[in-house]
Amino acid sequence: VCSSDLSLAFNPSWVCEITGQLVLRNNDTQEKYTYVLKGKADEPLAENTIPIECKARESRKIVVSVNNITYDDVTYQVITDLPFVSGAPTLFVPKNEQGRYTLIISPQLNGKVTGSLTFMAPNKQYVWFVIQATVSRPPPEDTITVNAEVRAGAVAEISIANPK
């Protein structure tokens, strides 16, 4: 009895479903074994989770390193679902290199927010990151002191205006 190991690899370049066939033949007995192979490459996982701590009404810059996942120079289209994030609409990354993308975060409200930052190549391949922002309350803009006698009311006028 003779046996050997056969190394079989599935290494797709992008999301796909592929069906193939593997035929093994025993030359001594002329027996033939046919196997149907099915391969499925799912959507890519996030490259990284970027935790960000900042204050509401303050801007902060974050630099994200982005790999070139294509085999050529690429200009990524930058897409995010976070309303308080901005930056250049595209990022050019040379072949076999990393690009650096500057993300500007300017939240207006405090709280915890999770979203994504996606870099889409012209061939629809993409690399993406999870952004987890923890936004703390901004410092008070002003303080008003109101004095009142015990069990007596006091009135204070406060002017409120929306920012332009």
Side-chain angles (χ1 to χ4, degrees):
V1 174
C2 178
S3 69
S4 65
D5 291 330
L6 174 66
S7 178
L8 187 63
F10 177 64
N11 190 14
S13 61
W14 194 243
V15 178
C16 64
E17 286 190 36
I18 296 177
T19 302
Q21 192 174 27
L22 173 65
V23 179
L24 300 176
R25 186 173 147 197
N26 185 331
N27 288 332
D28 294 336
T29 64
Q30 300 305 312
E31 291 176 317
K32 187 166 107 175
Y33 301 94
T34 303
Y35 299 90
V36 175
L37 305 175
K38 294 182 181 180
K40 181 179 180 185
D42 291 330
E43 297 283 328
L45 299 175
E47 288 290 307
N48 201 352
T49 297
I50 303 170
I52 299 167
E53 292 191 18
C54 56
K55 289 186 179 181
R57 297 191 207 136
E58 291 181 6
S59 291
R60 183 165 176 211
K61 290 183 181 182
I62 303 291
V63 177
V64 180
S65 294
V66 182
N67 291 323
N68 183 336
I69 59 169
T70 68
Y71 298 106
D72 295 309
D73 293 351
V74 65
T75 299
Y76 288 115
Q77 178 185 1
V78 183
I79 304 162
T80 184
D81 57 357
L82 294 170
F84 54 82
V85 170
S86 63
T90 60
L91 173 66
F92 175 78
V93 183
K95 178 180 178 178
N96 299 324
E97 291 190 25
Q98 275 191 343
R100 293 174 56 81
Y101 184 77
T102 301
L103 187 67
I104 302 165
I105 297 151
S106 304
Q108 296 302 306
L109 302 173
N110 67 307
K112 291 187 178 189
V113 182
T114 300
S116 65
L117 177 65
T118 304
F119 297 88
M120 178 83 68
N123 64 2
K124 303 300 180 198
Q125 292 184 4
Y126 59 90
V127 58
W128 68 286
F129 299 82
V130 173
I131 301 213
Q132 291 180 332
T134 303
V135 183
S136 59
R137 292 185 174 150
E141 291 182 17
D142 200 1
T143 303
I144 300 173
T145 303
V146 178
N147 294 319
E149 293 183 24
V150 176
R151 297 188 188 194
V155 176
E157 278 192 38
I158 301 171
S159 298
I160 299 176
N162 285 328
K164 293 182 181 182

